[in-house]
Amino acid sequence: MNRQLSIGYLQAMADSDGSIGRAPPGPVIVQFGQTQREVIDLISYHLTSLGIEHKVYGPWQSSKPPAKPMYRLRIQRKNAVKRFMHLIGFRHPARAARAHQRLPDAPGVLEPQGRARALALHQAPGGARSVADDLDD
């Protein structure tokens, strides 16, 4: 599979279904939550193709009916989180700010203004660019 296609797909999924936070008692994690196992499997496929270690959990049933079973994919190891941030990161302003707050020294973690600049370049007329392209510049 094309590396840039994997990166683009994961950037879109990170902005829609991804989050960054801390798993008790403290390591930074990136995770995706989904009710469709097929989507989690596709995210897993692309992460694996980029060499990003992760684990899939679920299904579990929500206590609030009529919720569907939920699946979660977690990137937990420090080097895997840093690789994710370097290759994919978050383009969503709030998620990018949270990533910068949690991992200010990680490669590819841009301050919110830098992420907004990368997003503006991505959306500029003349062709779409991946945020990962901007990180390599």
Side-chain angles (χ1 to χ4, degrees):
M1 172 123 335
N2 182 314
R3 178 180 165 94
Q4 286 306 112
L5 178 64
S6 290
I7 289 171
Y9 175 78
L10 291 169
Q11 286 173 334
M13 293 307 296
D15 288 340
S16 65
D17 295 332
S19 64
I20 186 166
R22 293 199 179 276
V28 174
I29 63 167
V30 173
Q31 67 181 4
F32 295 84
Q34 254 294 333
T35 59
Q36 297 178 14
R37 177 63 193 235
E38 297 81 12
V39 175
I40 288 292
D41 289 343
L42 191 54
I43 294 169
S44 178
Y45 172 82
H46 287 290
L47 288 170
T48 299
S49 76
L50 295 172
I52 299 172
E53 186 180 344
H54 59 280
K55 291 184 180 181
V56 175
Y57 300 93
W60 66 87
Q61 191 67 39
S62 173
S63 59
K64 300 176 185 176
K68 297 178 182 178
M70 188 73 173
Y71 298 89
R72 184 160 287 143
L73 182 149
R74 279 188 170 182
I75 302 166
Q76 301 178 133
R77 292 185 180 260
K78 186 176 184 178
N79 288 339
V81 170
K82 285 185 177 184
R83 183 165 176 78
F84 175 88
M85 293 308 302
H86 176 71
L87 292 175
I88 296 133
F90 291 96
R91 296 177 294 177
H92 185 279
R95 288 183 176 102
R98 198 171 308 120
H100 179 69
Q101 178 185 22
R102 302 263 198 263
L103 295 166
D105 298 329
V109 175
L110 299 176
E111 294 181 23
Q113 300 85 355
R115 184 65 68 185
R117 181 187 150 276
L119 182 56
L121 287 172
H122 175 75
Q123 296 173 338
R129 289 182 52 160
S130 159
V131 173
D133 293 337
D134 300 324
L135 295 176
D136 292 336
D137 289 348

